[in-house]
Amino acid sequence: MPALLFATLLLLQGCSLLSQKEPDQRDAADSPVTSESGASGREAFAVDVQAPDAVRDFLTRNLEIQRYRKLNDLGPVELSRLMVAAEANARELLNTMGYFTPTLTLELRETPDGKAPREVRITVVPGEITHVSDVHVDFNGPIAQTPESEERRNAIRAAWPLRQGQAFSQQAWDNAKSTALRSLTARRYPTGTIVTSRAEVDADRAEARLSATYDSGPAYRFGPLVVRGYQRYDPDAMRRIARIPTGADYDQQQLLDAQQRLASSGYFNSVFLTLDTTHDDPLSAPVIAQVQEAPLQKVVAGVGYTTDSGPRLSLDHIHNQMPLLGWRAVSRLYLDRDTQSLGTEWSAVPRDSGWRTFTAAQLKSEVSGDYTVDSGRLRGGESKASDHIDRSLFLQYDYASNHGFNAPPSASALSINWNWTGRYFDNANAPTRGQGIALELAAGYTLTGERLPFTRTYARWVGFVPAGTVYSDDGTQSRGARIQLRSEIGALIAKDSAQIPSTLAFLTGGDTTVRGYSFRSIGAVRPSGTVIAGRYMGVASIEWQRPFVYNGKISDWESTVFVDAGSVADKVGDLEAKVGVGVGARWKSPIGPISIDLAYGVDVKEFRLHFRFGFTF
């Protein structure tokens, strides 16, 4: 019930964001000219634009005459002057839309029974819209002088968005020039500029000939990293974290990636990287890092709620420079309905290769199937995080003690592990395209009972497949629908007699696995009917996500329909899918994506509400 109430409140808040302002409120907010007499609520005159929908909406929003509607002391002479100015203003606005031969008729009508005593009616026949007949893009500077830059020039021309045959408008023309300039300055030529731009319009033939010339400026290469604003942290360590490719051609994306690496390192509250284009040698331009350091130590408390585990409390302590070692330590206390854990991870600053040494320890008590498991884990090794790929190689010790009626025996093991995760999404926080894949491989020996070898393999994958495009009623907005596919497989291979810690085995079910079932409730079923973590696991999911149109506009909401299936067993032949089906909603909230799903567990014959915040892979 708390989860249902919380989800209902979020839905109501989301709907409130979709509501539109009343026309009178919008007009008042957009009218900077007011008078005391206007406070009575009745306008001096109304403006009625008669035109095709797109033209009417644009003129209604932007006509200058709208600013004077609240001036109740306007006389006939002043209003006539405003109407003359309104005609010229309307023609200018129509020109920006690509209509250069419009026919306009302005009338002043008495409307004593209307919301205003007079009405200015503007009737518009926009005429034929102007189309682009020719586009010419040229270059000056080094990009025009070197044969190896021909491919780059051709690529910028090919990506020019306002092409021959398309409708011309001032906004499309400005966007095209800006897009080409961004493409030019994104690599090698950060100081590129627009030298000349010209749009020649033949109104009689409704044609526009476009030309633009860009000056690339000198080619730049990355020089050394210069850090400003540091006090306690080693600037050479910052260089190793940023990994600026010194000596390589300037690339804006590489600069942003380096900035993100510094910002996410935990050492800084803010980071801003710029290329020093005032330097004497453009082939060794310094990269300026303006930083604001984070405190040496800090404590972060967090509270939350999930439909999987109920209320959640966490307490983190971060030490950015441990005594003697100089490593970064992150320690966490975590408490929820089913899990209590205390852990710490210490990591060194990356070396020039990008690899860093780390060690970690954790104590945990959690509900695992029908049992409670008290476990401990020690881990130490090497890790590396790059732009899209994280990898690690480490030695790990595991211990698990199971509690409950007829619980499996306690066990311990030592293993060597290799983990690899690749993320190729268009947006790491709220993806709509791309895919992610994670692999875990381990080989080890049991340390309890008979010493036996074992291997553990785990893989998961998420991918998005386009499934058409959804348009607003007027066709001006569009967003793609998609199908999200998800799968997980796991295998723990050893002799039946091997005593392997249950924390290395598999369970599934819950918000992010098989919806319609409680968290980690799907496992291997013992002859007594109790559920334990099993040696083999398989999960698959398909979900259709479609943008939701509200009041003719594409909203920040999406509707979903999904089918999940998963199974866990100690033998491959015993795998039997547990299926969950349902519907849900996705809200692109200001603080991140929020998901609400109502799922029916076919095997348990129950409905469950699932709520989660954010996207992680």
Side-chain angles (χ1 to χ4, degrees):
M1 287 304 296
L4 181 59
L5 178 60
F6 186 42
T8 303
L9 290 174
L10 282 175
L11 284 168
L12 291 174
Q13 292 173 5
C15 291
S16 69
L17 291 178
L18 297 175
S19 62
Q20 306 295 319
K21 290 187 293 183
E22 292 297 327
D24 291 343
Q25 293 174 333
R26 180 198 63 204
D27 293 342
D30 293 343
S31 299
V33 179
T34 60
S35 68
E36 293 184 1
S37 60
S40 62
R42 201 174 192 213
E43 299 175 347
F45 61 90
V47 178
D48 178 31
V49 180
Q50 300 288 320
D53 291 347
V55 173
R56 182 187 65 246
D57 294 344
F58 182 73
L59 291 180
T60 301
R61 287 195 308 269
N62 296 284
L63 279 169
E64 284 290 321
I65 196 173
Q66 298 275 22
R67 302 172 63 239
Y68 301 93
R69 289 176 302 146
K70 296 292 185 180
L71 295 181
N72 287 342
D73 56 350
L74 282 175
V77 176
E78 289 83 358
L79 188 54
S80 298
R81 290 173 180 171
L82 287 176
M83 291 177 63
V84 171
E87 181 177 1
N89 180 221
R91 291 187 182 277
E92 291 175 357
L93 292 172
L94 289 166
N95 288 351
T96 66
M97 298 182 71
Y99 298 103
F100 290 90
T101 57
T103 302
L104 283 81
T105 303
L106 278 74
E107 303 173 80
L108 179 60
R109 305 171 61 202
E110 298 295 329
T111 54
D113 297 329
K115 67 176 183 179
R118 290 168 290 184
E119 178 184 84
V120 176
R121 172 168 291 185
I122 305 175
T123 304
V124 180
V125 179
E128 184 180 359
I129 193 169
T130 299
H131 288 80
V132 177
S133 62
D134 183 60
V135 178
H136 183 71
V137 180
D138 206 354
F139 299 91
N140 292 336
I143 194 174
Q145 299 166 3
T146 55
E148 59 270 20
S149 297
E150 182 178 359
E151 182 178 350
R152 181 80 183 282
R153 299 193 300 268
N154 291 338
I156 294 174
R157 291 188 180 107
W160 179 269
L162 187 55
R163 311 193 66 79
Q164 183 176 354
Q166 293 182 341
F168 172 85
S169 70
Q170 186 64 45
Q171 182 178 1
W173 171 227
D174 291 340
N175 289 343
K177 292 184 290 183
S178 299
T179 299
L181 182 61
R182 286 195 298 269
S183 180
L184 171 64
T185 58
R187 290 188 294 117
R188 294 198 71 188
Y189 307 105
T191 59
T193 58
I194 301 175
V195 180
T196 60
S197 64
R198 185 178 181 86
E200 298 180 356
V201 176
D202 186 336
D204 294 334
R205 302 178 62 180
E207 294 180 351
R209 294 181 294 275
L210 310 180
S211 63
T213 303
Y214 295 85
D215 190 315
S216 66
Y220 280 79
R221 291 183 178 175
F222 287 120
L225 179 68
V226 178
V227 183
R228 297 175 180 171
Y230 72 93
Q231 296 177 353
R232 60 175 69 94
Y233 303 132
D234 181 8
D236 188 60
M238 301 179 201
R239 176 188 62 81
R240 298 199 299 272
I241 295 172
R243 301 200 305 274
I244 295 288
T246 303
D249 288 338
Y250 166 80
D251 189 308
Q252 186 181 63
Q253 188 58 52
Q254 289 185 341
L255 192 68
L256 293 174
D257 291 342
Q259 179 174 293
Q260 180 59 35
R261 285 190 285 270
L262 284 170
S264 60
S265 67
Y267 290 100
F268 310 102
N269 288 330
S270 65
V271 180
F272 186 66
L273 264 60
T274 56
L275 187 74
D276 185 2
T277 57
T278 64
H279 193 260
D280 295 337
D281 184 8
L283 298 182
S284 184
V287 176
I288 308 299
Q290 186 66 47
V291 302
Q292 182 186 56
E293 292 182 334
L296 190 63
Q297 298 187 63
K298 66 178 178 180
V299 176
V300 180
V303 295
Y305 181 89
T306 67
T307 48
D308 274 344
S309 304
R312 178 183 69 240
L313 171 67
S314 64
L315 188 67
D316 293 0
H317 175 262
I318 300 170
H319 197 308
N320 278 327
Q321 202 168 57
M322 297 174 62
L324 301 179
L325 282 177
W327 290 16
R328 185 170 190 262
V330 179
S331 304
R332 160 171 279 206
L333 172 66
Y334 180 93
L335 305 170
D336 68 24
R337 184 182 59 203
D338 299 324
T339 304
Q340 302 82 44
S341 68
L342 176 65
T344 185
E345 180 171 337
W346 302 355
S347 56
V349 174
R351 301 184 291 275
D352 286 333
S353 63
W355 287 90
R356 70 167 74 199
T357 304
F358 75 95
T359 184
Q362 184 182 62
L363 296 174
K364 179 187 288 188
S365 178
E366 62 181 334
V367 176
S368 179
D370 289 336
Y371 299 98
T372 298
V373 179
D374 296 332
S375 63
R377 172 171 290 175
L378 293 174
R379 176 183 290 181
E382 297 283 314
S383 67
K384 181 179 181 179
S386 57
D387 298 336
H388 298 288
I389 298 174
D390 296 341
R391 67 203 83 183
S392 59
L393 181 65
F394 54 90
L395 191 67
Q396 179 170 294
Y397 168 79
D398 286 280
Y399 171 80
S401 175
N402 302 283
H403 303 282
F405 176 74
N406 198 23
S410 301
S412 59
L414 187 67
S415 61
I416 186 169
N417 298 259
W418 176 81
N419 292 355
W420 184 96
T421 302
R423 302 176 183 88
Y424 307 94
F425 300 112
D426 60 335
N427 185 314
N429 297 319
T432 58
R433 296 191 306 276
Q435 62 179 332
I437 185 169
L439 300 173
E440 298 179 9
L441 303 176
Y445 268 87
T446 60
L447 301 178
T448 304
E450 186 180 0
R451 303 288 177 89
L452 294 172
F454 67 89
T455 62
R456 183 182 187 275
T457 304
Y458 172 77
R460 59 192 171 99
W461 174 81
V462 172
F464 295 87
V465 179
T469 303
V470 177
Y471 295 91
S472 59
D473 289 354
D474 59 8
T476 59
Q477 294 177 303
S478 66
R479 194 159 74 233
R482 71 203 72 86
I483 295 175
Q484 176 185 293
L485 302 173
R486 175 167 49 86
S487 64
E488 292 180 77
I489 56 172
L492 185 59
I493 301 175
K495 286 187 175 181
D496 292 344
S497 59
Q499 296 184 30
I500 302 173
S502 59
T503 51
L504 297 177
F506 304 101
L507 288 164
T508 191
D511 294 345
T512 59
T513 53
V514 184
R515 288 161 287 188
Y517 299 82
S518 59
F519 182 55
R520 291 166 60 87
S521 64
I522 301 175
V525 181
R526 307 181 81 184
S528 61
T530 56
V531 176
I532 63 172
R535 294 191 175 188
Y536 296 92
M537 178 187 70
V539 175
S541 172
I542 181 170
E543 179 177 304
W544 181 42
Q545 303 171 348
R546 187 179 188 277
F548 184 70
V549 177
Y550 179 77
N551 281 346
K553 304 292 185 182
I554 294 181
S555 70
D556 290 329
W557 288 82
E558 293 184 338
S559 59
T560 64
V561 179
F562 59 85
V563 178
D564 299 339
S567 181
V568 177
D570 279 332
K571 296 183 182 298
V572 175
D574 293 338
L575 290 171
E576 184 176 345
K578 304 291 192 297
V579 178
V581 298
V583 296
R586 305 287 178 267
W587 178 32
K588 188 179 179 181
S589 77
I591 57 174
I594 293 176
S595 303
I596 304 170
D597 296 317
L598 181 63
Y600 178 73
V602 176
D603 186 68
V604 295
K605 297 180 173 58
E606 292 180 355
F607 284 96
R608 292 188 69 88
L609 181 68
H610 297 273
F611 170 83
R612 62 189 182 277
F613 171 75
F615 174 88
T616 57
F617 184 87

